Amino acid sequence: RLTGWDAAAVERARAGATERLQNPECQKVFTDFRDAEGRTIQQNLAAWRMSPAEYLQIIPFVDGSGEKLCRSRRIALVATPNVRRVVVCPAFADLQLRQPREAESMIIHENLHTLGLGENPPTSIEITRRVESRCH
């Protein structure tokens, strides 16, 4: 469970990402990508009978300070395809303060993973760039 500094950073970024996901252009990012079975991420989201913004509100964000992947200062958030949670690394709170828009994009990026999006391909950079172009 997140507390203090990390929880506040996640809530600020989640609020900004939720606002961005209200825009129909931003929502198109859910049709831009497919899971390993060829379904769009929007199709996977439809099974939840929620909008992208509503779905984002039910995803738990958990403390990743003890996770191996979080030892790298370059990694701020981690999600596994089809696992309904996002791991928050210690680097996220600082990133959110310095670059709040990037933190919001990362929240949306990880949200896509929870709905089945894998990586490589597309690369992490490609996913984030698409989010940023759709959800500016």
Side-chain angles (χ1 to χ4, degrees), residues 82-98:
N82 292 311
V83 176
R84 308 291 186 266
R85 71 173 186 161
V86 176
V87 175
V88 180
C89 299
F92 184 74
D94 186 54
L95 171 78
Q96 193 280 323
L97 284 176
R98 288 183 293 106

Side-chain angles (χ1 to χ4, degrees), residues 33 38-39 45 70 76-77 87 96-97 102 110 113 120:
F33 298 108
R39 292 183 302 263
L45 174 63
C70 288
L77 297 172
V87 175
Q96 193 280 323
L97 284 176
E102 184 175 335
E110 299 305 328
H113 287 312
N120 297 319

Side-chain angles (χ1 to χ4, degrees), residues 15-16 28 30 34-35 44 100 119 124:
K28 289 179 182 177
F30 289 80
R34 295 182 177 274
D35 67 13
N44 295 342
E119 257 181 32
S124 181

Side-chain angles (χ1 to χ4, degrees), residues 4-106:
W5 188 254
D6 291 330
V10 166
E11 287 314 308
R12 285 189 301 269
R14 187 181 347 213
T18 298
E19 185 175 319
R20 290 164 72 178
L21 285 169
Q22 303 295 330
N23 182 326
E25 181 63 24
C26 183
Q27 293 173 17
K28 289 179 182 177
V29 77
F30 289 80
T31 58
D32 288 341
F33 298 108
R34 295 182 177 274
D35 67 13
E37 285 75 39
R39 292 183 302 263
T40 66
I41 302 308
Q42 178 60 46
Q43 288 173 302
N44 295 342
L45 174 63
W48 286 85
R49 293 185 169 88
M50 295 181 177
S51 71
E54 291 168 332
Y55 178 79
L56 179 57
Q57 297 308 306
I58 69 162
I59 297 300
F61 287 77
V62 300
D63 179 25
S65 58
E67 297 285 329
K68 184 177 180 180
L69 280 172
C70 288
R71 291 185 189 138
S72 166
R73 292 181 184 248
R74 294 179 37 228
I75 298 177
L77 297 172
V78 179
T80 302
N82 292 311
V83 176
R84 308 291 186 266
R85 71 173 186 161
V86 176
V87 175
V88 180
C89 299
F92 184 74
D94 186 54
L95 171 78
Q96 193 280 323
L97 284 176
R98 288 183 293 106
Q99 298 173 293
R101 296 288 289 176
E102 184 175 335
E104 293 167 10
S105 293
M106 290 175 68

